Amino acid sequence: MDSITRIKDYIRNNFPEWEKVDFSAYEESVDFRTDYSDLYRIYDDEIVLISYTNISITGSDRQKPQLRVFLDEYKKPFYFAKKHQLRFYLFSIFTKEDSMARGLDNFNPKEYIISIETNLDKEDSRRDLRSIYDYANAKINGRKFLKCSRSNYKADINQASFIYIGNIDSPEKETFENFINIFDSRPYLNSINEVQSQIEDFRPKQIEGNSHYLIRIALCAKPFMLLAGISGTGKSRLVRELAFKTCPECLQDKDGTTPGNYCMIEVKPNWHDSTELLGYYSRLGKGGYQWTKFVKFLVKAKMFPDVPFFVCLDEMNLAPVEQYFAEILSILETRKHPKVGENVDMKVIKTGAIVDAQYFRMFKADEEDFVPHTGEPEEKHMTDKDIYLKLYEIEKEDSIDEEVGRRCDLTTEGLTLPDNVLIIGTVNMDDTTRQFSRKVIDRAMTIEMNGGKLAEMYGGSKDLEYLKSEDQEKWQSAFKQKYVTADEVLKKFHQYAETLTEKLPQRLEAINEALKGTPFEVSYRVLNELTIMVGVMLDAKGDGEVTEEELDSIINQAVDNILLMKILPRIEGDREMFAIKDETDKRKILDETKLDRLLKVAPEIVFSDEEKEKRRQTSRDKIKEMIDRLDSQEFTRFWP
């Protein structure tokens, strides 16, 4: 019995309530083999498209045989499902002789259905699934449902799963049924289960204890953060909460729903350049620069330099971040305190221009409307306040500081990234999203928000209310950025400079030694941001001196934060990546891995009795989790 026949029989015998639907219900005729695909009306009258294929195992004499699935016949059914917004499944099962699968230890592929949900846009006639074999060949230990996510292999496959169905005489109907109910592979659409999961997993107070403190010191070290976690953990809500807490009365809306210092930008999967964020110049129609919500918000932030402005890039990794966010990533590295005459203004942080000044000079001053032109304006430039009022179509704004309102930075320097703008991207690391490149993670602070107690949802509505004026001012000052370079921290805290310049590099060098031979070793940028974080934490202690013991504790906490926020998110790989060879016999692999060595140099964080109940995850906890994942799956990474 071949694979296609066996799976068809399995579905027919175990799910008689599933109703077959003719393809003509959608199109009069289709240009693919309908004997290789079926439409089924399943639960809640949903119709899904199931295709079937055969699977082979080649090179069984090798140490690592290859699983191969022949997919050429399944491009057209996939596009049919995509066109009609149907969930699409491609099922196969191994039906060859046992000798053809002798390389699969502790795993009988005849007892599993292999489900492959794939992006067939770039599909060749067959797909090499060797790394799915690697996953299957790990210690299965009787599990009935194995999920192999895209992070486990490099092929252009969104999802692959091994579903235990037993044998023909004793099938496992419930396991297969749960797979269909839970796993949603609808092409390029959000999960139909997403709304329900958001309700079930909604945990706005997810980050325990000192969550705002952690976020504050991270954003003061670098104004770009990734909040990572499963859908529904309150990531975007947390950003809005910070905006509520820092929003002055002049920027508050009447109905109390959206603070004026908050901007939500929904990232779309088709973003492949910066035009959706930064706009572009068009010569069509009347011509002129196409201003985006993001650019307008940055101009607004320049009008209120003492107020933190929060940009929330929702589902940031639905599109390739290093493409649509490239200019911002580069601009972040140009941050510096400007010179004013012979002195450096430590109260201001400047960057390179995001939008060139020429586009702001296209509008003359003292005119009722913006008038585009190609040359330099004869009249004086418009002030930044005038441009802000025009962009937002506001007649008057009295709350803008008079000195700020007279500036003409936009028409002389262009739009730089204001130092009161904090960019926070929410990240859901699942199979609908893209992996982050190390370039992106190197330039961001990452905080993970998984875990927590559901009961903490109650009472969260109070977090989305405006505070009294005196409380707002405390929150506003808490997010003020002071340092750009490590040297500025050493100058401010000169009494601790010798200790910091000795201990901080030592701690990072120990981490590099543990990760030696991998692409995850850290460099100057991480040392710079570690030093800045120590400076921010010293500032939080106030003006008094700290003891040697307190300074060691601050260094420990900062190294722990940097491991969690900057270093561990970059790490991923299989057992070979983290293997250590014996110094005397290079052919021998030690039981200890590089992650085990990293665990030894990670800081020990001691919590008080009061903190133990609601303590956050430490870098040691996370490394142990990653080691466990490596042991059970032969592959590990930071993201769950």
Side-chain angles (χ1 to χ4, degrees):
M1 186 184 298
D2 68 2
S3 174
I4 294 174
T5 303
R6 182 176 175 188
I7 297 177
K8 282 190 172 187
D9 287 349
Y10 179 87
I11 292 175
R12 183 175 61 252
N13 295 332
N14 286 279
F15 303 96
E17 69 276 15
W18 288 11
E19 176 190 347
K20 268 196 177 183
V21 177
D22 196 274
F23 285 95
S24 61
Y26 290 91
E27 295 180 13
E28 289 187 7
S29 62
V30 294
D31 57 351
F32 53 84
R33 292 186 58 167
T34 54
D35 58 333
Y36 283 5
S37 299
D38 284 316
L39 286 174
Y40 279 106
R41 188 186 305 277
I42 58 170
Y43 316 104
D44 298 324
D45 286 333
E46 183 189 6
I47 296 176
V48 299
L49 175 55
I50 297 177
S51 293
Y52 318 94
T53 185
N54 289 310
I55 190 168
S56 69
I57 299 180
T58 62
S60 57
D61 56 330
R62 304 175 186 172
Q63 185 180 2
K64 290 186 177 182
Q66 296 176 353
L67 294 178
R68 282 181 176 170
V69 173
F70 294 79
L71 296 173
D72 196 46
E73 283 293 329
Y74 308 102
K75 293 180 186 179
K76 291 177 181 177
F78 176 82
Y79 290 131
F80 179 94
K82 180 179 176 182
K83 177 180 178 182
H84 297 289
Q85 299 186 358
L86 306 174
R87 287 203 279 162
F88 174 80
Y89 294 92
L90 177 59
F91 287 139
S92 183
I93 194 165
F94 182 70
T95 57
K96 305 294 184 182
E97 294 298 321
D98 290 345
S99 60
M100 291 294 292
R102 63 176 181 267
L104 297 177
D105 301 332
N106 304 317
F107 178 66
N108 182 357
K110 289 186 178 181
E111 296 180 359
Y112 284 75
I113 281 181
I114 299 174
S115 168
I116 301 167
E117 288 70 43
T118 174
N119 175 355
L120 296 176
D121 287 336
K122 300 177 181 178
E123 196 59 66
D124 296 324
S125 62
R126 66 184 184 183
R127 175 68 72 193
D128 183 347
L129 303 177
R130 176 184 297 193
S131 48
I132 295 183
Y133 156 77
D134 292 339
Y135 188 87
N137 199 38
K139 299 175 182 177
I140 293 174
N141 295 329
R143 284 177 286 177
K144 295 180 179 179
F145 177 75
L146 302 175
K147 187 174 180 181
C148 185
S149 66
R150 184 170 54 194
S151 65
N152 293 105
Y153 45 92
K154 303 302 181 186
D156 189 21
I157 295 176
N158 290 336
Q159 186 68 263
S161 307
F162 292 84
I163 312 152
Y164 178 76
I165 61 169
N167 52 52
I168 296 175
D169 298 325
S170 180
E172 284 268 340
K173 173 187 174 182
E174 185 179 352
T175 306
F176 184 83
E177 191 172 29
N178 287 339
F179 176 83
I180 295 292
N181 278 332
I182 295 170
F183 189 78
D184 186 348
S185 58
R186 186 180 301 186
Y188 300 109
L189 294 178
N190 291 331
S191 169
I192 60 171
N193 300 316
E194 185 173 356
V195 174
Q196 183 62 28
S197 69
Q198 286 180 357
I199 294 171
E200 293 172 352
D201 294 327
F202 186 56
R203 287 166 276 198
K205 294 182 178 179
Q206 188 48 238
I207 306 178
E208 292 288 352
N210 296 326
S211 61
H212 293 123
Y213 174 72
L214 283 174
I215 290 172
R216 183 179 77 80
I217 63 172
L219 287 173
C220 286
K222 192 71 169 284
F224 175 37
M225 173 181 287
L226 303 177
L227 286 181
I230 59 176
S231 178
T233 48
K235 299 182 292 294
S236 55
R237 179 192 174 97
L238 181 57
V239 183
R240 193 154 63 106
E241 177 188 335
L242 295 176
F244 268 105
K245 291 181 183 298
T246 57
C247 186
E249 188 175 352
C250 63
L251 293 175
Q252 295 175 8
D253 59 332
K254 292 181 180 179
D255 56 5
T257 58
T258 307
N261 61 334
Y262 172 77
C263 180
M264 164 74 84
I265 296 177
E266 301 85 358
V267 174
K268 305 296 190 302
N270 63 342
W271 287 11
H272 290 282
D273 59 43
S274 61
T275 55
E276 296 288 349
L277 274 182
L278 302 182
Y280 58 94
Y281 180 76
S282 174
R283 297 184 182 277
L284 298 177
K286 293 182 179 180
Y289 199 84
Q290 307 302 303
W291 306 102
T292 63
K293 179 166 68 170
F294 179 70
V295 169
K296 291 180 181 180
F297 189 72
L298 297 189
V299 171
K300 184 179 183 181
K302 289 179 69 69
M303 299 298 99
F304 303 91
D306 295 326
V307 178
F309 275 66
F310 295 89
V311 177
C312 179
L313 288 169
D314 197 35
E315 299 290 355
M316 189 177 189
N317 56 335
L318 279 178
V321 178
E322 60 275 8
Q323 294 180 25
Y324 75 85
F325 208 59
E327 286 87 344
I328 306 298
L329 292 174
S330 297
I331 286 296
L332 283 168
E333 299 308 304
T334 68
R335 300 164 63 245
K336 63 178 294 185
H337 293 288
K339 272 193 173 183
V340 180
E342 294 297 319
N343 300 316
V344 175
D345 186 354
M346 296 298 293
K347 295 182 179 179
V348 178
I349 298 174
K350 286 276 191 178
T351 71
I354 300 173
V355 179
D356 196 89
Q358 64 174 316
Y359 299 116
F360 294 98
R361 290 199 296 267
M362 288 180 175
F363 307 109
K364 297 179 182 179
D366 304 319
E367 301 238 0
E368 184 175 351
D369 297 310
F370 289 137
V371 181
H373 61 86
T374 56
E376 290 289 326
E378 296 178 2
E379 293 85 359
K380 68 176 183 178
H381 301 320
M382 295 184 84
T383 65
D384 292 352
K385 179 178 179 180
D386 290 334
I387 291 175
Y388 160 70
L389 296 178
K390 288 291 186 180
L391 286 175
Y392 278 90
E393 299 180 353
I394 300 173
E395 292 185 6
K396 193 176 181 182
E397 177 60 87
D398 293 331
S399 55
I400 296 175
D401 181 81
E402 186 176 342
E403 181 183 346
V404 172
R406 287 199 302 267
R407 293 174 183 166
C408 295
D409 293 346
L410 293 173
T411 52
T412 55
E413 300 175 357
L415 177 61
T416 59
L417 184 65
D419 59 5
N420 59 328
V421 170
L422 306 165
I423 302 173
I424 303 177
T426 66
V427 176
N428 181 13
M429 294 300 291
D430 63 18
D431 304 298
T432 65
T433 58
R434 294 174 178 267
Q435 292 280 16
F436 283 107
S437 67
R438 286 197 291 275
K439 173 185 176 181
V440 175
I441 294 176
D442 280 348
R443 287 162 171 77
M445 296 292 184
T446 301
I447 291 181
E448 193 178 15
M449 293 182 63
N450 289 333
K453 300 176 182 178
L454 285 173
E456 291 165 356
M457 178 190 76
Y458 301 115
S461 57
K462 295 179 181 178
D463 296 327
L464 300 182
E465 296 177 357
Y466 296 118
L467 301 179
K468 294 179 181 179
S469 177
E470 58 269 22
D471 293 325
Q472 290 166 12
E473 292 174 3
K474 293 177 184 177
W475 278 89
Q476 289 167 9
S477 61
F479 287 94
K480 183 69 176 176
Q481 299 169 58
K482 294 183 178 180
Y483 312 109
V484 178
T485 68
D487 287 341
E488 293 165 0
V489 174
L490 298 176
K491 184 177 180 180
K492 168 73 181 294
F493 298 102
H494 55 85
Q495 66 272 42
Y496 313 124
E498 185 177 350
T499 301
L500 295 181
T501 53
E502 177 186 354
K503 291 189 175 182
L504 295 184
Q506 282 180 356
R507 300 297 290 271
L508 290 187
E509 284 166 3
I511 290 170
N512 274 348
E513 183 62 29
L515 296 172
K516 191 174 182 179
T518 72
F520 312 124
E521 296 178 58
V522 298
S523 58
Y524 300 117
R525 182 184 287 116
V526 175
L527 178 58
N528 185 67
E529 290 169 12
L530 171 60
T531 310
I532 291 173
M533 184 171 287
V534 170
V536 174
M537 295 171 75
L538 285 169
D539 280 332
K541 286 285 187 181
D543 296 331
E545 293 286 316
V546 299
T547 65
E548 184 177 344
E549 185 178 348
E550 287 175 324
L551 183 59
D552 284 342
S553 177
I554 288 174
I555 291 173
N556 251 5
Q557 289 281 355
V559 172
D560 189 63
N561 291 335
I562 286 293
L563 266 168
L564 278 168
M565 296 179 187
K566 300 285 293 184
I567 300 174
L568 296 182
R570 304 165 71 243
I571 295 178
E572 67 173 11
D574 57 16
R575 184 166 291 278
E576 186 177 349
M577 171 75 74
F578 302 106
I580 301 174
K581 294 183 179 180
D582 189 285
E583 289 298 323
T584 56
D585 183 1
K586 297 296 184 182
R587 294 170 298 178
K588 182 179 179 182
I589 304 297
L590 302 182
D591 291 335
E592 184 184 43
T593 68
K594 291 172 182 176
L595 288 180
D596 293 316
R597 290 187 176 178
L598 183 61
L599 180 62
K600 292 177 181 178
V601 299
E604 291 270 10
I605 304 298
V606 180
F607 293 95
S608 67
D609 292 338
E610 190 176 310
E611 293 171 325
K612 284 179 182 177
E613 179 66 24
K614 291 188 174 182
R615 73 179 183 87
R616 64 178 176 83
Q617 187 182 45
T618 67
S619 60
R620 291 181 64 83
D621 295 330
K622 190 65 183 182
I623 295 169
K624 290 176 184 177
E625 177 188 312
M626 294 171 71
I627 291 172
D628 289 343
R629 192 173 295 143
L630 183 65
D631 289 339
S632 63
Q633 301 180 12
E634 300 293 312
F635 183 94
T636 194
R637 64 172 185 165
F638 174 86
W639 315 99

